[in-house]
Amino acid sequence: MTNSADSRAPRPASTALNPTSGFLTGFTHSLQTYIGCRFGCAYCYVQESNVHRFFNGGFAWGEYAYPRQGVADRLVQELERYRRKGCLDSLAIFCSSSTDPYQGAEREWQLTRRCLEAFVAAPPGLLVIQTRSPLVERDFDLLSSLGDRCWLSMTLETDRDDVRQALTPHCPSIERRLATIRAARVAGLNVQVAVSPCLPYSGVEDFGGLLLEVGQRVVVDSYTSGDGLGGKRTARTEIPAEYARLGWGDWQAEDAARSLYVWLHKRMDERVGWSQAGFTDLARRVTTETAG
């Protein structure tokens, strides 16, 4: 990969908060600080979306991450409008749905950090930060300032680093992400672990025990339940060919993911969720409370 599609190609942000629909129904808005994603996971269904087709700039998926220049300033303005209406508490925001907010470009642009500063000044009812990057450790101070209004959701699809290397070679190692999760817990943050999608793992008790140890909440997902179209978008990615090449069986099967979910549910009860319902449970609690 080259670096030619990173921070030298900013895209002005016309909005910050966008109403949600589909998989994220339950959240009121999503926030994207970048367009594209340099992690380039083989399974990512965003590569089959209009976001990639319209904004790729001629680059393949995983080869670009455009900063949304001015997104933090837009966010400040939009949050102020909600504050004047007295409805900040009704906002349930997911950051983000189509790009990791902690791209390498974040070190230079700090768009995610500036957005967090805006949230600290005008806290929403809920903010979920979804990432797989240890760079989030830099912002533990701001996440902590938001208290129970904020959850850090760290992606951990497997406990096998050989699986991680096969399908997501540009992503942080399993051990590095676990270190970030443990550090977040020590810092007093609310931590959710997203097994999304569930990739081949070492064993239910081994992986399940690890998740039980590190996560306050866990969401387990699969390709079929999680890509928004019953697996149709994943079918157009490299995943079917990679599973066949690696001898991992039927990529559409949910048995391993369901087994992990059932094992965890017996021990965590409502603190473990499945797919869409699991991701949106926190948001529904916020929107239900404010509606009441």
Side-chain angles (χ1 to χ4, degrees):
M1 291 187 186
T2 68
N3 293 320
S4 58
D6 275 333
S7 58
R8 289 189 291 277
R11 300 294 176 92
S14 58
T15 61
L17 299 176
N18 294 298
T20 59
S21 61
F23 194 86
L24 287 178
T25 297
F27 286 88
T28 60
H29 298 83
S30 64
L31 169 67
Q32 326 291 335
T33 47
Y34 297 86
I35 298 174
C37 185
R38 289 300 299 269
F39 288 128
C41 301
Y43 60 71
C44 187
Y45 59 79
V46 178
Q47 63 188 295
E48 294 298 322
S49 71
N50 288 335
V51 172
H52 174 54
R53 284 193 286 271
F54 294 161
F55 297 107
N56 64 68
F59 291 93
W61 180 250
E63 292 184 351
Y64 67 96
Y66 303 128
R68 298 191 66 223
Q69 191 172 26
V71 66
D73 295 330
R74 293 286 185 183
L75 180 61
V76 169
Q77 297 167 3
E78 292 171 19
L79 290 175
E80 175 59 19
R81 288 198 292 269
Y82 283 109
R83 187 195 65 77
R84 289 199 302 266
K85 294 177 182 177
C87 55
L88 277 174
D89 285 345
S90 67
L91 298 180
I93 301 165
F94 192 90
C95 179
S96 67
S97 58
S98 62
T99 184
D100 195 301
Y102 286 95
Q103 300 290 316
E106 171 65 12
R107 292 184 176 87
E108 174 185 355
W109 285 85
Q110 299 192 42
L111 299 180
T112 300
R113 182 168 179 85
R114 290 190 59 205
C115 285
L116 287 176
E117 291 170 344
F119 285 128
V120 169
L126 174 68
L127 173 66
V128 173
I129 299 293
Q130 180 69 54
T131 185
R132 65 185 63 231
S133 173
L135 180 57
V136 70
E137 294 171 5
R138 181 201 65 188
D139 294 342
F140 279 2
D141 58 334
L142 296 175
L143 300 181
S144 179
S145 295
L146 289 165
D148 287 339
R149 294 172 180 260
C150 181
W151 279 77
L152 170 61
S153 184
M154 284 289 295
T155 301
L156 192 73
E157 315 97 309
T158 177
D159 60 346
R160 291 175 49 184
D161 208 58
D162 63 312
V163 173
R164 191 273 307 173
Q165 291 174 354
L167 298 184
T168 63
H170 303 291
C171 294
S173 70
I174 302 301
E175 283 303 315
R176 186 64 185 88
R177 277 184 264 177
L178 283 170
T180 297
I181 293 170
R182 291 187 173 107
R185 294 294 302 274
V186 170
L189 303 184
N190 299 312
V191 181
Q192 172 177 279
V193 181
V195 187
S196 177
C198 183
L199 303 181
Y201 54 84
S202 59
V204 170
E205 292 190 2
D206 289 337
F207 192 25
L210 182 62
L211 295 168
L212 194 62
E213 171 201 343
V214 300
Q216 288 161 280
R217 297 188 79 250
V218 177
V219 178
V220 182
D221 205 358
S222 71
Y223 297 121
T224 303
S225 293
D227 82 352
L229 287 177
K232 292 180 181 178
R233 288 194 287 189
T234 305
R236 296 192 291 266
T237 69
E238 301 172 13
I239 289 302
E242 285 297 289
Y243 269 58
R245 181 180 69 83
L246 295 164
W248 287 349
D250 182 5
W251 67 271
Q252 299 177 86
E254 294 187 310
D255 295 353
R258 289 284 184 182
S259 294
L260 181 64
Y261 168 75
V262 169
W263 191 94
L264 288 167
H265 193 268
K266 290 178 180 178
R267 294 157 177 82
M268 300 181 74
D269 198 19
E270 76 281 355
R271 293 189 297 117
V272 63
W274 174 261
S275 195
Q276 181 182 19
F279 273 107
T280 59
D281 182 55
L282 288 172
R284 286 197 172 92
R285 294 181 196 182
V286 169
T287 54
T288 299
E289 289 173 3
T290 54

